[in-house]
Amino acid sequence: MSSIAFLAVFGVLFFLSVFGSCQSVCGNKIDLSQAKKGTLASPNYPYDVGSNVVCSWQFFNPNGTNFVYIIVKTLGMNTSAGDSFNVSDPKGPLHLPNFIVPFTFAVSSNESKVTFSTGNNPNPAEPRRILIDWYTDVSTVIADGTRGIVESPTYVPGKDENISLSWVVSGQPGLSLHISFARFNIGDGVLIVNETNKPSRNFTGSKVPNDFLAANPNVWFQLTMPITISSLGFQLFFKEVSDVCSNYVNLNGTEVVKLEVPPTKFAGSCIWILEGPENTILSAAVNSVVLSSNETHGLLAFHDGGGIFSKDLGIFSTSSLVIDSLILTSENRILIGYWYHNSSVPNVTITVNMHNYGGTLSNGGTFGIPLSPSNKTTTASSSVWSLQVDETKQVRVDFTTIALKGNESVAFYDGNCVDENHLLITFDESSKNVPVVSSKNEMLVVAKDQNVDSTFNATFAGVSSGDLVLSSMSFGSYHLSKLEIGRAHV
C-alpha cells in the first residue's frame, strides 16, 4: 500500500473513531424581532427522535429584552436512560416543574436556551420527542386546561426592569379548574387571578395561597413585580375537574355537609374544598360506597388545610374504605379529592362536620373543653379528639374535672369509627368520674350539644393491659358489654 493510500485510510478511520459516535444536532437560533410566536419540535415528531440526539433552541432579540413564554406540550423521555430536558437563562436559575405536561414557564429573550437530548437507548419504552409552543405576546391562550403547570421566572430582575407577565389557561366549558400552588414567594409583587364575571383574587408575599376552584373555563394570571424584588416566584398546578361534584363549601352557619358523587358516564375527578370559621376544626367520614360489579375502584384523598400540597391525611381505595372511620384536620380547611377511572363510577357519600375543639393527639397529654366559658365559641355544637398511643399499648383516659349540664354528653369510641358497635361509654349530667380504657391503641372522644356552662378536662396515656386499675364506678349511661379492659381491679 502506498503511503498516500495508507494516510487516506488512516484519516477515514481516525475521523470515524472520533466523530462516528457524536450526537446528532438539531435546533436553531430564534430572532424575536422577526417572529412573535412559533412551534419547536424534535426531528421526526411525533415519532422517536433516536439515540444520541441534542436539540437546542436559543432565543435572542437584537432590539432589547423581553420575556418568552414557553409551553411544553409533549415531552417523551427517560432520565434514567440518559435523556434530559434543560433550560438556561442568563438572568438566573430556573426551578423547572416535574415534567408533568403541559407545563408553562417564562424566560428572558436574550440568550435563553432550551435543550432536549437523548441517551444511547436503542429500545425506548415510549417515543423520545418534544413539542413546544412559544410566545412573546400572551394575548393568545397558551395552555389548554386538561392539566399542567404554570411557572414564573425565578431570577432577580435587574434595576432597569419590572416584571409584568400574563398567562391564560383555557379549559373545556362545563368543567372547573382546580388551582393548587406548589411554591409561592413574590415579595412585594402581586399575582392577580381573573375569571370572567367574578371578582379577582389578589395574592402577594411569601405565604402559599390555598387551593381554589375556578368555575369559568378561562382563567387569566397577571404577575407584576417591582424592581426591588428578590424572590423565587411561583409554581402552580391546574387540572380540570367535574362540575357535577366539585365545589367550594363555606361552613359558616352550617355544621354538617353531605358530599355525594352521583352516577355518571364519564371518568374524571372531583375536588371539594371545605372551610369553617377560624379556630374550628373539621372531621370527615365516608358514610357509604356503592360499587358495581365491573367497577375499577377510585381513590379518595384527604388533605389538611385545603391544598393538595398540604399535609396528607390519608389516601384510600373505594374498595377498602372503612365506613364511618373519622378523618380529623388540624385547622379549619380540608380538601377532599376523588379520582375515578372508568365509566362505572361508585356512588360515594361523605359527611363533613365542623367542631369547636379537638384534633389528633399522640402519646399522652391533656384535652378537654376550656374551663373559662368566655373562651368558648358557639360556632359548632360538638368537639372531637383522636387519641393515639404506641401500637403495643391501649388508651386510658382519666378525668381531672367533669361538669356536664343539660343535653351535654361525651362519648368514647374504641378505635377510629363513630358507630354503635365501637361505643365504649357515654358520659352525661348524671355520670361520675371514672376512667375509660380502649382495647386498641386509638380512641375517639366526641362531645356533643355543648353548653357554655359545661366543662371537662382529662388526661390520657398508653397503658398495657396488665397495668389497668379502675376505681369504684358510678356508670350513668354506660355500655359495660362493649368495654374491653384486659385485667382490671374494681
Side-chain angles (χ1 to χ4, degrees):
M1 180 184 294
S2 67
S3 58
I4 295 177
F6 173 79
L7 290 174
V9 172
F10 176 80
V12 171
L13 292 175
F14 177 79
F15 179 86
L16 290 175
S17 66
V18 174
F19 298 104
S21 60
C22 283
Q23 293 179 310
S24 300
V25 177
C26 66
N28 61 316
K29 295 191 72 172
I30 302 167
D31 185 348
L32 298 177
S33 66
Q34 304 297 317
K36 301 300 181 185
K37 63 180 180 179
T39 297
L40 311 175
S42 53
N44 205 35
Y45 185 89
Y47 304 107
D48 185 72
V49 71
S51 297
N52 300 312
V53 174
V54 176
C55 293
S56 182
W57 295 276
Q58 186 170 17
F59 299 94
F60 72 98
N61 187 351
N63 299 326
T65 62
N66 61 320
F67 290 98
V68 182
Y69 302 87
I70 295 174
I71 173 169
V72 180
K73 306 184 76 171
T74 303
L75 182 58
M77 68 176 192
N78 182 357
T79 54
S80 62
D83 305 338
S84 65
F85 174 76
N86 296 289
V87 179
S88 62
D89 189 331
K91 292 283 188 180
L94 284 160
H95 296 269
L96 287 176
N98 296 323
F99 306 133
I100 300 175
V101 292
F103 60 88
T104 305
F105 55 92
V107 296
S108 63
S109 60
N110 277 346
E111 307 306 318
S112 294
K113 185 184 294 185
V114 176
T115 304
F116 171 70
S117 63
T118 62
N120 186 18
N121 181 11
N123 298 303
E126 63 171 315
R128 294 161 295 186
R129 56 185 179 171
I130 189 168
L131 180 66
I132 293 173
D133 285 345
W134 63 268
Y135 304 83
T136 58
D137 178 4
V138 290
S139 58
T140 309
V141 172
I142 64 170
D144 65 64
T146 303
R147 66 171 187 171
I149 300 174
V150 172
E151 173 96 354
S152 74
T154 55
Y155 54 79
V156 181
K159 294 185 179 296
D160 60 339
E161 61 183 325
N162 292 326
I163 284 182
S164 182
L165 301 173
S166 298
W167 294 263
V168 183
V169 177
S170 178
Q172 299 182 54
L175 296 177
S176 295
L177 285 175
H178 171 215
I179 310 296
S180 185
F181 288 86
R183 176 168 46 78
F184 191 87
N185 182 359
I186 61 173
D188 295 330
V190 179
L191 176 66
I192 302 173
V193 183
N194 285 303
E195 305 171 54
T196 304
N197 300 323
K198 287 197 173 185
S200 62
R201 305 169 191 261
N202 294 355
F203 304 104
T204 189
S206 58
K207 182 181 178 181
V208 178
N210 289 319
D211 290 21
F212 63 91
L213 292 169
N216 192 275
N218 293 322
V219 183
W220 289 264
F221 299 91
Q222 175 73 40
L223 173 68
T224 57
M225 287 178 167
I227 59 175
T228 56
I229 190 67
S230 175
S231 73
L232 295 176
F234 72 87
Q235 181 188 82
L236 66 85
F237 287 66
F238 62 87
K239 179 175 173 52
E240 281 184 343
V241 293
S242 171
D243 260 357
V244 176
C245 52
S246 298
N247 202 4
Y248 168 81
V249 181
N250 189 327
L251 290 169
N252 228 337
T254 305
E255 277 192 55
V256 182
V257 173
K258 280 193 177 292
L259 308 174
E260 290 189 295
V261 180
T264 176
K265 296 181 179 180
F266 303 100
S269 58
C270 301
I271 294 289
W272 296 279
I273 301 173
L274 298 101
E275 183 171 5
E278 290 186 10
N279 302 318
T280 61
I281 69 165
L282 306 179
S283 67
V286 178
N287 307 126
S288 66
V289 179
V290 180
L291 299 172
S292 60
S293 58
N294 62 338
E295 165 61 19
T296 301
H297 303 299
L299 291 175
L300 266 172
F302 299 84
H303 294 273
D304 201 5
I308 60 172
F309 293 102
S310 55
K311 181 182 177 182
D312 179 5
L313 297 174
I315 299 177
F316 308 93
S317 166
T318 51
S319 63
S320 60
L321 281 167
V322 178
I323 302 302
D324 291 328
S325 181
L326 214 61
I327 302 291
L328 282 180
T329 69
S330 65
E331 50 184 291
N332 64 325
R333 283 175 59 95
I334 188 171
L335 181 144
I336 303 174
Y338 179 43
W339 292 269
Y340 43 94
H341 307 299
N342 69 355
S343 59
S344 179
V345 179
N347 191 312
V348 179
T349 303
I350 306 167
T351 297
V352 177
N353 286 267
M354 182 173 62
H355 308 281
N356 274 336
Y357 305 110
T360 300
L361 306 176
S362 300
N363 300 321
T366 62
F367 67 98
I369 298 173
L371 289 171
S372 172
S374 62
N375 290 337
K376 289 191 173 185
T377 66
T378 56
T379 304
S381 62
S382 66
S383 298
V384 60
W385 295 264
S386 173
L387 311 179
Q388 301 173 2
V389 295
D390 185 82
E391 291 183 358
T392 62
K393 303 286 187 179
Q394 297 164 247
V395 182
R396 171 170 172 151
V397 174
D398 293 276
F399 286 101
T400 53
T401 59
I402 179 170
L404 305 178
K405 297 183 180 182
N407 295 323
E408 173 79 11
S409 66
V410 182
F412 292 77
Y413 295 87
D414 202 14
N416 191 39
C417 289
V418 182
D419 60 30
E420 286 295 320
N421 294 326
H422 292 82
L423 180 63
L424 294 172
I425 183 172
T426 301
F427 289 85
D428 56 24
E429 190 175 23
S430 62
S431 303
K432 292 185 178 180
N433 188 336
V434 295
V436 184
V437 182
S438 69
S439 69
K440 305 175 182 179
N441 70 319
E442 187 169 2
M443 180 189 290
L444 282 175
V445 184
V446 180
K448 296 181 178 179
D449 299 321
Q450 290 176 200
N451 184 294
V452 293
D453 296 322
S454 296
T455 63
F456 79 86
N457 282 269
T459 63
F460 80 99
V463 294
S464 300
S465 59
D467 299 331
L468 300 177
V469 178
L470 302 184
S471 60
S472 60
M473 302 180 190
S474 177
F475 291 106
S477 301
Y478 187 60
H479 301 267
L480 185 60
S481 62
K482 295 176 182 176
L483 179 63
E484 300 178 34
I485 58 176
R487 186 173 76 246
H489 303 278
V490 180

